Amino acid sequence: MRTFAKGLTGLLGFFLLWEIAVQAGVLPDYWVPPASEVATTFVTLLGQQEFLLAVIATLLAWLISLGVAIAVGVPAGLLLGSVPALQSASRALIEFLRPIPAVALVPLVMVTIGSGPDAKITLAVYAAVWPILFNTIYAFGEIDPVLLDSARASGANRRQSLTWVALPHAAPFIFTGVRVAASIALIAVISVEYIAASEIGLGRYILEGGMNNGHLDQVMAGTVLAGLAGWAINSALVGSGRKLFRWADTEERAAR
């Protein structure tokens, strides 16, 4: 709660500086509406069904994308991390695919599967799977070989060694990857909704606000909501991670 309060204070300070900058003329109000106007629009939008449905569509796509990314990234990372030969053989392919931004694949995905929910979920999974995959692989590289040797000497087979020794060690690192992937997935979903002009979603709502007589207050309200959602998700995951893994400190050591 203390960390949450500090974060909230920082956000309120940012909005206060935003308001002061616009009222003082540092930022022209025809470019950036004042924070007070955006806040009023934000509260009004929360009572509109169309806006709420757009937000729900975005969050649902984000949740599905993150779940699929975890389901793909963790087993793949466990496999590659436990089989060095397979990791070496796949390294070139992974390093080729990883730098490609998800938004660069929008035209290809639109041609193949259209611009519906499947498109944004597919691209969000593609963007979010990498931190989970690499953190899982990294976790296996950090396991002390003595621990695995001790497990084998105690009669544990390969599966038991992975379950009893490797996974508990890797869990904090994997969770850090999930936390990073959660933000990336949200960015990818909203970006694809905006670029691909999805049928519904927060990104589509922001796009329409910018095109519909330049309603910048609606654009900024949607943007602020996206930022608040990202902050809330990250804060919740950080708090959960501290409770689940009090004995581990992976914030500085985990691969990003």
Side-chain angles (χ1 to χ4, degrees):
M1 290 301 297
R2 187 179 304 172
T3 302
F4 178 83
K6 290 180 179 179
L8 184 59
T9 301
L11 285 176
L12 293 176
F14 168 75
F15 290 126
L16 179 61
L17 290 176
W18 174 3
E19 179 73 16
I20 293 174
V22 175
Q23 296 297 342
V26 178
L27 295 175
D29 57 2
Y30 55 85
W31 285 353
V32 181
S36 56
E37 180 182 343
V38 173
T40 301
T41 303
F42 182 82
V43 173
T44 302
L45 290 177
L46 291 179
Q48 296 182 5
Q49 183 179 7
E50 179 184 0
F51 181 74
L52 293 178
L53 289 175
V55 174
I56 292 173
T58 296
L59 293 179
L60 184 59
W62 164 80
L63 186 60
I64 295 173
S65 302
L66 183 61
V68 174
I70 294 172
V72 173
V74 173
L78 293 176
L79 179 61
L80 295 178
S82 60
V83 184
L86 184 59
Q87 180 180 345
S88 299
S90 61
R91 181 174 298 143
L93 177 61
I94 292 175
E95 292 300 332
F96 169 76
L97 293 174
R98 183 168 67 102
I100 301 176
V103 293
L105 300 175
V106 169
L108 175 62
V109 171
M110 289 183 65
V111 169
T112 54
I113 62 177
S115 59
D118 292 345
K120 57 185 177 183
I121 290 174
T122 299
L123 291 174
V125 169
Y126 173 83
V129 74
W130 302 114
I132 300 174
L133 175 67
F134 278 94
N135 271 40
T136 305
I137 295 174
Y138 177 85
F140 269 80
E142 290 293 301
I143 296 177
D144 189 347
V146 176
L147 296 177
L148 295 176
D149 292 339
S150 299
R152 296 190 188 99
S154 300
N157 55 34
R158 185 177 183 85
R159 180 183 61 81
Q160 292 171 331
S161 297
L162 289 176
T163 303
W164 296 344
V165 179
L167 275 180
H169 175 86
F173 294 87
I174 295 173
F175 190 86
T176 300
V178 171
R179 180 175 63 80
V180 176
S183 298
I184 294 176
L186 183 62
I187 294 171
V189 167
I190 297 176
S191 298
V192 174
E193 288 174 345
Y194 184 91
I195 296 174
S198 299
E199 296 178 0
I200 187 173
L202 186 57
R204 174 60 183 263
Y205 190 90
I206 294 174
L207 174 63
E208 290 181 345
M211 297 176 61
N212 186 19
N213 297 323
H215 288 174
L216 293 180
D217 57 335
Q218 296 182 12
V219 173
M220 294 303 298
T223 304
V224 166
L225 178 59
L228 290 176
W231 170 65
I233 291 169
N234 184 71
S235 298
L237 290 175
V238 169
S240 300
R242 288 175 178 171
K243 291 181 179 180
L244 291 172
F245 309 109
R246 293 180 182 273
W247 45 270
D249 181 14
T250 62
E251 291 299 320
E252 295 183 359
R253 295 187 296 145
R256 293 295 193 268

